[in-house]
């Protein structure tokens, strides 16, 4: 017997040109899949969710977040990138146990769901053992979202990485809610031969890849460091790779990415605060490359896509007047879904898509009256508006509350984890921690 759910009476922002936006519309879901989007849908046998005074839209897609750092939320708000790297990777990471990875990953993924992120790529580079990796996967499975475990190959596990990647892949071989991607270290860390081997392995296993990259143009360099051009010369650009950040790479390199069909993930808050340079949204768009947006890490910035969109929007408008509200919403829905290889399943509200849907309150005083729904979401949206969240048709947040999550117990567990790691690492938690990298 089919299960049916009808979202009725909401303002539908479908992000699908063929469906369009509806001032008043209904969305019918059968067995987790959208079957109809229209002004009125007659489904007397469906469970009804009243979407009156709600915007009904696709869930956000965050294609780059390091959720293992959730326990240290906010401590790095004033840090530069070298300070963050010293603190997270060289100071606290060595003291993470598998249970710490689990607690941070689970709370981080639930936070993302709470703020309307139905799909999230968890870029994992805290590996100390196979047990650490397994704990991260278990946490993603225990959170009722669509998640991609992006294994940062070689970050703490032995080289070559083939056996480790194959081991995790064997556990994530299906196409369920938790799938897998491969996080590349890149040519500067491993050399071109290793990048080529890992790309070949990813292709064999059917994995998309993600790679942090930047040029030296943003930091006043002479432009001689051209990582994308180097990969291009070796024939290593793929339409299955998402390049993260990209600050300082040249316009020519951006066109190379566009020609290859690669994706670009911009984390505007982190990039601006840590000194990476201006976000690449405008330059990428001018080069024919539709960017996507991501949070990155919550020790430094907030974990919601509303603030991420707002930063990217305001900065780009200040730089050149470019981008419109709908561009930002595309960057965090359909374009981000495409970068994850999930655009046939999620990212828009259209018949045949999985029902990854969020309902945003329009009667909240912080946004009322909502005259232009898209502009309101981008310019004034916030997690407090997220009333209901569905993933593959299942309600995982209802009336502003996550369903089935024992948050008091999880909060206690995360605090115990953070406090133990901090005590072992010898770092204060009173707001005075300022890592001091040694100049090279």
């Amino acid at each position: 017997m089919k299960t049916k759910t009808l979202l009725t009476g909401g303002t539908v922002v479908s992000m699908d040109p063929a469906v369009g936006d509806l001032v008043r519309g209904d969305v019918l879901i059968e067995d987790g899949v959208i079957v109809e989007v229209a002004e009125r849908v007659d489904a007397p046998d469906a469970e009804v969710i009243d979407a009156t005074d709600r915007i009904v839209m696709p869930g956000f897609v965050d294609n780059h977040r390091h959720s293992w750092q959730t326990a240290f939320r906010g401590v790095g708000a004033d840090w530069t990138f070298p300070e963050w790297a010293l603190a997270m990777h060289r100071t606290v990471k060595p003291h993470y146990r598998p249970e710490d990875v689990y607690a941070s990953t689970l709370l981080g993924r639930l936070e993302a769901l709470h703020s309307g992120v139905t799909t999230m790529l968890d870029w994992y580079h805290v590996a100390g053992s196979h047990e650490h990796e397994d704990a991260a996967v278990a946490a993603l499975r225990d959170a009722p979202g669509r998640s991609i475990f992006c294994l940062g190959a070689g970050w703490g596990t032995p080289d070559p990485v083939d056996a480790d990647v194959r081991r995790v892949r064997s556990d994530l071989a299906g196409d369920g809610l938790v799938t897998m991607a491969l996080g590349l270290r890149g040519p500067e860390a491993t050399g071109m031969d290793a990048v080529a081997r890992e790309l070949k392995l990813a292709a064999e296993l059917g994995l998309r890849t993600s790679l942090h990259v930047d040029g030296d143009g943003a930091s006043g360099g002479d432009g001689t460091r051209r990582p994308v051009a180097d990969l291009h010369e070796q024939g290593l650009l793929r339409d299955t790779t998402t390049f993260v950040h990209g600050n300082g790479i040249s316009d020519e390199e951006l066109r190379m990415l566009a020609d290859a069909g690669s994706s670009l993930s911009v984390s505007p808050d982190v990039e601006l605060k840590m000194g990476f340079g201006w976000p690449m949204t405008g330059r990428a768009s001018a080069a024919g490359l539709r960017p996507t947006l991501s949070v990155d890490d919550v020790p430094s910035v907030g974990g919601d896509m509303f603030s991420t969109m707002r930063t990217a929007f305001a900065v780009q408008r200040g730089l050149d007047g470019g981008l419109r509200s709908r561009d930002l919403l595309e960057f965090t829905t359909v374009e981000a879904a495409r970068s994850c290889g999930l655009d046939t399943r999620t990212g828009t509200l259209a018949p045949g898509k999985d029902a990854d849907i969020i309902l945003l309150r329009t009667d909240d005083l912080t946004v009322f009256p909502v005259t232009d729904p898209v502009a309101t979401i981008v310019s004034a949206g916030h997690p407090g508006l997220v009333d209901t969240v569905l993933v593959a048709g299942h309600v995982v947040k209802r009336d502003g509350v996550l369903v089935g999550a024992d948050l008091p117990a999880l909060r206690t567990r995360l605090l115990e984890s953070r406090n133990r790691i901090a005590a072992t690492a010898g770092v204060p938690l009173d707001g005075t921690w300022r890592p001091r990298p040694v100049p090279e």
Side-chain angles (χ1 to χ4, degrees):
M1 181 177 178
K2 290 186 176 181
T3 60
K4 295 182 180 182
T5 303
L6 180 66
L7 311 180
T8 183
T11 298
V12 177
V13 177
S14 76
M15 304 310 295
D16 186 312
V19 175
D21 296 345
L22 304 172
V23 174
R24 190 264 177 225
D26 295 347
V27 179
L28 180 61
I29 303 162
E30 290 187 9
D31 292 339
V33 176
I34 298 169
V35 295
E36 189 174 358
V37 182
E39 291 184 354
R40 301 275 179 179
V41 175
D42 184 25
D45 55 342
E47 175 193 356
V48 174
I49 295 178
D50 186 1
T52 304
D53 294 327
R54 304 290 186 267
I55 294 170
V56 182
M57 64 168 284
F60 294 116
V61 179
D62 181 351
N63 61 4
H64 159 237
R65 187 184 303 213
H66 307 289
S67 63
W68 64 268
Q69 300 171 36
T70 303
F72 289 90
R73 182 189 308 279
V75 300
D78 299 326
W79 293 347
T80 63
F81 177 71
E83 290 169 337
W84 169 86
L86 172 60
M88 290 293 106
H89 281 285
R90 297 196 292 277
T91 304
V92 302
K93 185 168 79 171
H95 302 287
Y96 265 72
R97 299 170 178 169
E99 55 266 33
D100 302 313
V101 173
Y102 177 89
S104 275
T105 301
L106 179 55
L107 263 292
R109 186 63 190 99
L110 289 175
E111 172 210 358
L113 278 171
H114 180 66
S115 64
V117 177
T118 52
T119 299
M120 190 188 86
L121 183 143
D122 188 10
W123 219 112
Y124 170 91
H125 52 9
V126 66
S129 67
H130 290 162
E131 288 74 21
H132 288 70
E133 297 167 351
D134 295 343
V137 172
L140 294 177
R141 282 177 165 152
D142 287 346
R146 192 180 303 277
S147 301
I148 303 163
F149 178 65
C150 184
L151 175 60
W155 289 75
T157 50
D159 271 322
V161 301
D162 298 48
D164 193 33
V165 174
R166 291 180 188 278
R167 186 191 73 85
V168 177
R169 179 57 168 162
S170 67
D171 187 41
L172 292 173
D175 62 351
L177 286 182
V178 181
T179 54
M180 183 182 175
L182 178 58
L184 305 173
R185 291 161 292 176
E188 291 187 354
T190 63
M192 284 292 180
D193 289 345
V195 174
R197 287 196 305 271
E198 291 174 11
L199 283 171
K200 182 179 179 180
L201 175 65
E204 176 193 340
L205 298 177
L207 299 175
R208 300 184 71 88
T209 55
S210 181
L211 170 63
H212 295 76
V213 68
D214 64 274
D216 58 5
S219 56
D222 59 8
T224 58
R225 185 156 60 86
R226 289 163 49 85
V228 173
D230 292 343
L231 291 166
H232 173 71
E233 290 171 4
Q234 298 296 319
L236 297 178
L237 295 184
R238 301 285 186 271
D239 62 2
T240 52
T241 300
T242 297
F243 289 79
V244 179
H245 301 311
N247 304 85
I249 65 175
S250 67
D251 292 342
E252 179 190 11
E253 289 177 291
L254 288 169
R255 288 190 291 271
M256 290 175 184
L257 294 181
D259 291 343
S262 302
S263 305
L264 179 69
S265 179
V266 176
S267 306
D269 293 284
V270 162
E271 292 157 9
L272 288 164
K273 292 177 69 174
M274 288 192 182
F276 289 10
W278 297 114
M280 300 292 285
T281 47
R283 288 182 54 213
S285 298
L289 179 66
R290 293 292 281 174
T292 63
L293 299 181
S294 59
V295 165
D296 197 343
D297 75 89
V298 298
S300 303
V301 302
D304 67 278
M305 299 303 289
F306 297 100
S307 58
T308 300
M309 287 190 295
R310 191 152 49 248
T311 296
F313 191 33
V315 169
Q316 199 60 53
R317 297 281 291 189
L319 287 172
D320 60 15
L323 301 185
R324 296 293 183 267
S325 302
R326 191 170 291 269
D327 291 321
L328 280 298
L329 213 55
E330 289 176 355
F331 297 166
T332 55
T333 55
V334 59
E335 297 296 346
R338 184 174 293 118
S339 76
C340 296
L342 293 172
D343 50 307
T344 61
R345 301 188 66 177
T346 192
T348 65
L349 303 186
K353 292 288 186 76
D354 287 2
D356 296 349
I357 303 173
I358 61 177
L359 275 60
L360 309 180
R361 300 186 66 96
T362 61
D363 55 357
D364 190 280
L365 293 183
T366 58
V367 294
F368 183 86
V370 175
T371 305
D372 183 331
V374 172
T376 298
I377 294 166
V378 175
S379 64
H382 56 84
L385 304 179
V386 182
D387 177 79
T388 302
V389 178
L390 295 89
V391 177
H394 297 286
V395 176
V396 301
K397 183 179 182 182
R398 189 189 300 271
D399 298 328
V401 179
L402 288 171
V403 175
D406 186 354
L407 294 182
L410 292 173
R411 290 189 184 103
T412 297
R413 184 171 181 175
L414 189 67
L415 286 175
E416 291 174 349
S417 170
R418 182 202 64 180
N419 294 344
R420 185 199 63 78
I421 294 169
T424 306
V427 297
L429 293 174
D430 58 0
T432 62
W433 184 17
R434 190 66 184 262
R436 297 296 181 187
V438 177
E440 295 183 0

